Amino acid sequence: MDTIKLFPNRKQESSANEQDSSLVAFSHAAKSQLKAGSVALIGAGPGDAELLTIKALSYLQQADVVLYDYLVSEDIMALIPSSTILVCVGKKAGHHSVPQHKTNQLLVDFANQGHKVARIKGGDPFIFGRGGEELEVLAEAGIQFEVIPGITSAAGATAYAGIPLTHRDYAQSAMFVTGHLKSDDDQMDWATLARGQQTLVIYMGLMKSSHIQEQLIKHGRSSTTPLAIIERGTQKQQKVLLGQLSDLSTLAEHAQSPSLIVVGEVVQLATKLNWFQSENQVTQQTQKVAV
């Protein structure tokens, strides 16, 4: 079994890279304290570091050990003190992944060693983040834990793309689902997902885009329903691809993970309401791909 010795502290960086004093003061505005031997499950949000809660930032500053995923942005990781032990336990297609049971064991081991442990995940840890699974293991091991919610990617990315999840004229409900499907064991309720006048947000759906497109149209969603793929939502590299449901599989070829698929009449507002643009660009980042 791995021990903490396999995860040494990072080398101290130059003073030029140390945290700004105002940032430290801001994090100290939080009154809660991360206890030794406990774990804080933290939602990092969709990527923009300014969307972190004060409590999340404070706990990242207090932690001795931070276990993080690939979806946590570089800007957020840069907020963690250089003396903190960092352990990457992410899962990413085409890359070495840490099995979930190994991540669970590391959380238990670090906490039992008396460390203040932060487990940070992209978005919100209770929305397709396996946060509940990890806390079950901690509870069974008798380890104290806290949960600091984050802005889920569906809410953050759509807001930055100018797509309201609900609208009195276009959508009276919103549904969040995962597109990480097993092709031979698809138990999704496609008839419900294909209903009109609702916004459907699909996490991790790029690889199954053809299947998703086929099933939604088969079960009644119009092929002309507005659609968007939001890549790296809220981050300076954000890209929004617009089209119709019939374009989904083609648009997906132009997108990379992490991306969200948004299906619904509200998407037609994206061009009108798209307010976000990075500091390095003059024009808005919304794009239309020829299909």
Side-chain angles (χ1 to χ4, degrees):
M1 181 175 294
D2 291 334
T3 65
I4 293 175
K5 292 180 181 179
L6 294 180
F7 305 102
N9 289 355
R10 290 178 293 165
K11 294 181 179 179
Q12 295 289 339
E13 299 175 351
S14 65
S15 58
N17 293 327
E18 291 298 320
Q19 299 297 320
D20 182 83
S21 59
S22 61
L23 174 62
V24 175
F26 184 73
S27 67
H28 287 169
K31 300 183 182 300
S32 299
Q33 295 294 311
L34 180 56
K35 298 177 182 179
S38 68
V39 177
L41 179 62
I42 300 173
D48 185 345
E50 292 182 283
L51 295 179
L52 277 174
T53 64
I54 294 176
K55 191 169 187 177
L57 175 59
S58 174
Y59 276 17
L60 288 176
Q61 293 280 323
Q62 295 178 40
D64 303 319
V65 182
V66 174
L67 284 75
Y68 67 99
D69 288 344
Y70 288 111
L71 292 180
V72 181
S73 70
E74 294 181 1
D75 289 343
I76 291 175
M77 294 301 298
L79 300 175
I80 301 173
S82 58
S83 58
T84 306
I85 298 171
L86 294 183
V87 184
C88 180
V89 291
K91 298 171 180 61
K92 191 175 183 181
H95 293 73
H96 172 70
S97 298
V98 177
Q100 186 62 53
H101 71 85
K102 182 62 177 178
T103 298
N104 297 343
Q105 189 61 52
L106 286 171
L107 289 170
V108 171
D109 290 345
F110 279 120
N112 281 335
Q113 289 284 342
H115 288 285
K116 300 176 182 179
V117 183
R119 171 68 170 109
I120 186 167
K121 294 171 171 284
D124 182 273
F126 276 5
I127 299 182
F128 305 123
R130 299 189 180 182
E133 297 176 33
E134 294 179 7
L135 293 191
E136 284 186 281
V137 173
L138 296 178
E140 292 167 1
I143 293 172
Q144 290 186 326
F145 55 82
E146 297 183 47
V147 181
I148 297 87
I151 295 176
T152 185
S153 299
T158 54
Y160 274 52
I163 301 173
L165 288 172
T166 62
H167 189 287
R168 286 193 298 173
D169 295 331
Y170 304 118
Q172 286 70 56
S173 63
M175 297 190 68
F176 302 167
V177 299
T178 175
H180 192 63
L181 309 171
K182 295 181 179 179
S183 57
D184 58 345
D185 186 27
D186 182 358
Q187 299 180 1
M188 300 290 283
D189 183 357
W190 288 107
T192 298
L193 299 181
R195 290 183 309 195
Q197 296 296 302
Q198 76 175 1
T199 306
L200 178 63
V201 182
I202 305 168
Y203 292 69
M204 300 171 284
L206 290 183
M207 295 183 66
K208 298 293 184 179
S209 59
S210 295
H211 181 68
I212 293 168
Q213 174 183 322
E214 176 186 352
Q215 291 300 315
L216 289 176
I217 295 175
K218 177 181 177 180
H219 287 83
R221 203 63 154 120
S222 171
S223 62
T224 61
T225 303
L227 174 137
I229 297 179
I230 308 171
E231 178 182 318
R232 295 191 177 277
T234 79
Q235 301 181 47
K236 61 184 179 181
Q237 308 97 327
Q238 175 177 297
K239 182 170 66 174
V240 183
L241 307 178
L242 298 175
Q244 299 179 342
L245 180 55
S246 58
D247 305 325
L248 174 55
S249 59
T250 302
L251 287 175
E253 296 176 359
H254 298 271
Q256 297 180 349
S257 297
S259 290
L260 285 177
I261 298 170
V262 186
V263 182
E265 289 77 11
V266 290
V267 174
Q268 64 188 285
L269 296 172
T271 302
K272 183 178 182 180
L273 303 183
N274 182 23
W275 58 271
F276 177 70
Q277 54 190 124
S278 73
E279 297 178 355
N280 298 323
Q281 291 181 318
V282 177
T283 59
Q284 290 181 329
Q285 295 178 330
T286 300
Q287 302 180 17
K288 286 191 177 181
V289 175
V291 293

